[in-house]
Amino acid sequence: MVKTADLCDHYSSLGVCENIFLNFGKKKRFNGPIHTVKVFEDNVLVKEALQTVPSGAVLVVDGGGSNRCALMGDRLATIAVERNLAGVIINGCIRDSAEINEMDLGVRALGTCPVKSKKEGKGKRDITVSFAGVHWKPGWYAYADEDGIVLSDKPLTLD
């Protein structure tokens, strides 16, 4: 997989995400097309997206930066693994981090919280969301590794 540092050296027009996320899961490097969810302390649409976005996708969840509850735990992460998603990036928290760290999945989140979220189904899907200094646009591509996350409007390669 291509390193984000190499992509930054080769491409000048990338969105570079602020380094605010912690790494979870066994996959430290992942990339794929972005699909988005915008929620606040409610993970119903997160589960729905995990069950329906295409294999290889990166699900980006704008949870408003809340650290009062988790938007994904081991059961939702299992759905992502079973559906072969590339990764999940959450502007919020996860729980069951020990179990998620044993899964073949790449996860970035602000941290952990043992409290479960509400189940009201409020939020939006497939809209541009903004956090960590970048705009996460559905259909764009996210590239994540140990050094950070970069965004592009098209798939990237290094020739």
Side-chain angles (χ1 to χ4, degrees):
M1 177 162 148
V2 180
K3 297 188 318 182
T4 58
D6 292 342
L7 290 173
C8 286
D9 290 349
H10 193 75
Y11 295 95
S12 61
S13 61
L14 299 179
V16 180
C17 180
E18 294 170 359
N19 191 9
I20 62 172
F21 298 105
L22 300 176
N23 292 325
F24 300 96
K26 284 186 176 180
K27 279 188 180 176
K28 301 305 176 198
R29 298 178 180 187
F30 60 89
N31 68 74
I34 294 170
H35 292 261
T36 64
V37 175
K38 184 175 179 70
V39 296
F40 188 73
E41 298 179 359
D42 182 335
N43 75 349
V44 171
L45 292 183
V46 176
K47 181 177 182 182
E48 179 184 288
L50 289 168
Q51 294 171 324
T52 59
V53 300
S55 173
V58 174
L59 180 62
V60 175
V61 179
D62 183 359
S66 174
N67 61 5
R68 296 187 300 201
C69 69
L71 294 175
M72 185 175 77
D74 59 344
R75 291 191 301 189
L76 294 189
T78 298
I79 294 169
V81 172
E82 290 172 348
R83 298 205 57 254
N84 199 30
L85 299 190
V88 182
I89 300 169
I90 302 175
N91 184 27
C93 292
I94 66 164
R95 67 185 198 165
D96 305 315
S97 62
E99 291 82 1
I100 290 173
N101 283 335
E102 296 300 316
M103 295 182 185
D104 191 26
L105 180 66
V107 177
R108 301 293 188 274
L110 298 179
T112 60
C113 180
V115 178
K116 69 180 178 179
S117 74
K118 295 181 271 187
K119 310 287 189 236
E120 297 174 352
K122 295 179 180 177
K124 296 181 180 179
R125 284 187 59 183
D126 300 318
I127 63 167
T128 298
V129 295
S130 299
F131 59 87
V134 293
H135 302 294
W136 307 81
K137 298 180 181 184
W140 281 41
Y141 291 79
Y143 295 82
D145 68 10
E146 299 87 343
D147 292 333
I149 303 169
V150 298
L151 306 179
S152 171
D153 63 349
K154 63 182 183 266
L156 302 176
T157 58
L158 294 177
D159 298 328

